[in-house]
């Protein structure tokens, strides 16, 4: 059989791995064994899977493979943030970022090559869009990062949390993001708890309801504005799903468990959305949803018309929210010396929307 026809086993969560083994006339427990080898032990060679019979190993070599993207670039920032540029089979490149903190290690993964949403303050949006990632391309980011980082002296994994806050809108790639998240949660694979996997969305309302049914992980919502007028401008998706509908979906999402809260992300743009009046409007808006707020100082990128809010404005904004009883933190800017900060991920993509060309010609004219 030629290489291209081989099944990449990274594409399967445990359920679909069982289907794969059923399809070749083997037992479902093989799925658990192979998932463990691949994801727990990081093995990518069938010969090393010693609890499989020699015949099965030979068979798998014939029809299947464990194919990871290539690490094109591996950079470490002065603050320890690390970024991998991964080259996919079709030549597109995506970025994955590791953010070490005192009490945890967070991996920020991408879900699409580029993004269709075109939020005005985001570098990924300016790059245009090529396609959604496959399950194997999503889970490979965790596999590659785990492999590079190794384990701590106690033998524990360095990556304790995953956030879908890299390139792309994860809820517009629901079919592939969900199996990848199931692998992250699977005790035979990565064993992360639901609290430690966070999906961030710009607010694809119907898919938020489906996520709650299919795989209720922690949810972050990129709000960025306290009213529709401003949000329509910053997050064009708001024209389709306005704030009232978005917050309705957030409330429904919190019904999963009495303790669940939505994290609202709010990028701080000088003179645009960072006034005390915006903070008051936001506080009022969020009264009806169990929430916490993450203020993100804007990270500039070439050709942006926005500036980062001053520390004083951010502090003032935060004070208003805290006084209103909202848990509010200001996100530390990490890894900006290697362009790994929020909104700076651009990968290297073959844009099919030609948005980049359009934007460049607008700038030049
Ligand atoms: N599409 C998803 C996930 C990717 S964005 C979403 O919109 O949530 C991850 C976070 O980074 C979002 O909150 C996004 O709004 C924020 N972000 C984007 N560009 C930024 C920038 N230039 N500076 C700071 N944060 C940014």
């Amino acid at each position: 059989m030629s290489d291209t026809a081989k099944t990449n086993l990274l594409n399967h969560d445990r359920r679909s791995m069982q289907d794969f083994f059923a399809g070749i006339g083997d037992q479902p427990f093989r799925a658990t064994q192979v998932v463990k080898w691949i994801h727990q032990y990081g093995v990518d060679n069938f010969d090393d899977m010693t609890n499989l019979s020699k015949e099965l190993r030979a068979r798998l070599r014939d029809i299947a493979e464990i194919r990871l993207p290539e690490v094109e670039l591996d950079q470490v920032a002065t603050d320890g943030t690390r970024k991998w540029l991964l080259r996919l089979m079709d030549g597109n490149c995506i970025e994955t970022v590791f953010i070490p903190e005192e009490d945890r290690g967070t991996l920020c993964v991408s879900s699409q090559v580029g993004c269709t949403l075109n939020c005005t303050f985001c570098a990924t949006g300016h790059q245009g869009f090529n396609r959604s990632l496959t399950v194997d391309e999503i889970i490979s980011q965790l596999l590659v990062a785990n492999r590079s980082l190794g384990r701590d002296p106690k033998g524990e994994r360095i990556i304790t949390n995953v956030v879908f806050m890299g390139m792309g809108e994860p809820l517009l790639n629901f079919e592939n993001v969900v199996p990848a998240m199931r692998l992250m949660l699977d005790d035979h694979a990565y064993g992360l708890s639901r609290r430690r996997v966070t999906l961030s969305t710009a607010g694809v309302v119907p898919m938020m309801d489906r996520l709650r049914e299919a795989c209720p992980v922690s949810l972050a919502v990129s709000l960025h504005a306290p009213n529709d007028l401003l949000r329509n401008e910053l997050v064009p998706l708001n024209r389709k799903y306005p704030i009232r509908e978005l917050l309705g979906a957030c409330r429904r999402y919190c019904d999963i468990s009495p303790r669940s809260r939505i994290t609202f992300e709010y990028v701080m743009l000088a003179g645009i959305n960072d006034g005390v009046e915006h903070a008051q409007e936001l506080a009022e808006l969020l009264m009806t949803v169990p929430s916490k707020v993450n203020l993100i100082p804007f990270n500039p990128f070439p050709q942006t018309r926005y500036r980062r809010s001053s520390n004083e404005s951010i502090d003032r904004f935060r004070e208003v929210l805290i006084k209103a009883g909202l848990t509010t933190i200001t996100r530390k800017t990490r890894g900006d010396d290697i362009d790994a900060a929020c909104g700076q991920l651009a990968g290297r993509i073959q844009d099919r929307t030609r948005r980049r060309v359009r934007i460049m010609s607008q700038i030049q004219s």
Side-chain angles (χ1 to χ4, degrees):
M1 196 181 271
S2 79
D3 261 12
T4 47
K6 286 188 177 179
T7 306
N8 188 0
L9 294 188
L10 288 171
N11 231 325
H12 297 302
D13 64 4
R14 200 139 53 90
R15 234 182 269 180
S16 82
M17 192 77 92
Q18 283 173 357
D19 295 342
F20 169 80
F21 278 103
I24 63 169
D26 216 312
Q27 305 288 324
F29 74 89
R30 294 288 178 215
T32 306
Q33 290 178 317
V34 171
V35 162
K36 264 186 149 161
W37 278 118
I38 298 176
H39 297 286
Q40 240 178 42
Y41 305 120
V43 164
D44 58 6
N45 182 342
F46 296 117
D47 291 328
D48 295 338
M49 302 187 177
T50 45
N51 56 359
L52 308 183
S53 69
K54 281 228 168 76
E55 296 72 41
L56 180 57
R57 283 184 247 167
R59 178 96 197 271
L60 288 176
R61 253 199 325 270
D62 241 17
I63 59 169
E65 61 184 347
I66 299 159
R67 198 181 57 231
L68 289 157
E70 260 173 62
V71 178
E72 178 106 348
L73 211 64
D74 179 350
Q75 291 172 285
V76 184
T78 46
D79 65 6
T81 301
R82 189 160 167 182
K83 181 171 87 168
W84 294 268
L85 182 72
L86 301 178
R87 190 151 55 80
L88 311 175
M89 282 301 282
D90 65 357
N92 279 301
C93 289
I94 52 163
E95 295 186 314
T96 305
V97 177
F98 172 69
I99 306 138
E101 284 173 286
E102 221 143 80
D103 55 342
R104 65 184 132 176
T106 304
L107 191 72
C108 176
V109 299
S110 295
S111 57
Q112 296 182 309
V113 183
C115 191
T116 57
L117 295 183
N118 207 10
C119 299
T120 50
F121 52 85
C122 179
T124 306
H126 281 242
Q127 288 279 313
F129 175 74
N130 185 278
R131 64 176 175 86
S132 281
L133 296 182
T134 53
V135 178
D136 62 279
E137 290 166 340
I138 298 170
I139 203 65
S140 288
Q141 298 173 60
L142 182 53
L143 215 164
V144 167
N146 261 323
R147 203 182 259 186
S148 312
L149 293 165
R151 293 189 181 242
D152 70 10
K154 285 194 206 131
E156 304 284 344
R157 278 194 166 130
I158 309 278
I159 296 169
T160 58
N161 294 58
V162 176
V163 295
F164 280 80
M165 294 184 187
M167 300 164 66
E169 168 49 52
L171 289 187
L172 293 180
N173 184 17
F174 189 84
E175 297 308 321
N176 295 330
V177 163
V178 166
M181 289 196 306
R182 288 203 175 115
L183 277 169
M184 292 169 187
L185 302 178
D186 189 338
D187 281 338
H188 297 290
Y190 299 92
L192 297 173
S193 79
R194 289 181 192 287
R195 277 185 313 111
R196 290 178 177 274
V197 176
T198 302
L199 183 146
S200 178
T201 180
V204 190
V205 167
M207 302 316 279
M208 290 165 70
D209 289 314
R210 282 191 58 195
L211 182 69
R212 186 181 46 142
E213 304 289 323
C215 193
V217 293
S218 298
L219 189 65
V221 170
S222 294
L223 192 60
H224 308 314
N227 58 62
D228 285 325
L229 194 65
L230 185 53
R231 195 164 192 267
N232 282 346
E233 184 190 318
L234 300 177
V235 184
L237 181 69
N238 195 68
R239 295 175 204 155
K240 196 159 179 192
Y241 305 115
I243 291 177
R244 202 172 53 84
E245 285 179 34
L246 176 58
L247 295 188
C250 289
R251 276 190 289 274
R252 291 193 292 280
Y253 202 88
C254 288
D255 287 345
I256 311 168
S257 95
R259 280 187 315 148
S260 62
R261 288 199 284 180
I262 306 288
T263 300
F264 288 97
E265 296 160 280
Y266 196 101
V267 64
M268 297 298 289
L269 305 167
I272 305 281
N273 65 353
D274 66 344
V276 166
E277 68 283 8
H278 295 116
Q280 284 160 344
E281 205 178 350
L282 181 64
E284 193 140 324
L285 194 67
L286 296 184
M287 279 306 130
T288 58
V289 187
S291 16
K292 51 190 169 186
V293 180
N294 265 1
L295 301 177
I296 316 174
F298 171 64
N299 294 309
F301 53 90
Q303 281 118 33
T304 180
R305 56 188 144 118
Y306 297 116
R307 284 174 305 117
R308 175 183 294 184
S309 304
S310 66
N311 289 343
E312 296 73 51
S313 328
I314 299 179
D315 289 347
R316 221 177 304 134
F317 196 96
R318 202 183 68 213
E319 277 309 307
V320 173
L321 299 181
I322 288 176
K323 277 218 180 83
L326 285 161
T327 307
T328 309
I329 61 155
T330 305
R331 196 181 281 172
K332 260 203 232 130
T333 296
R334 303 286 307 258
D336 51 350
D337 53 331
I338 55 166
D339 284 341
C342 302
Q344 292 184 320
L345 300 189
R348 205 179 292 159
I349 84 163
Q350 295 150 13
D351 178 22
R352 298 205 303 184
T353 59
R354 317 250 322 140
R355 184 181 299 144
R356 194 179 166 75
V357 178
R358 287 203 309 271
I359 289 168
M360 290 308 289
S361 61
Q362 277 163 17
I363 289 166
Q364 279 154 8
S365 64

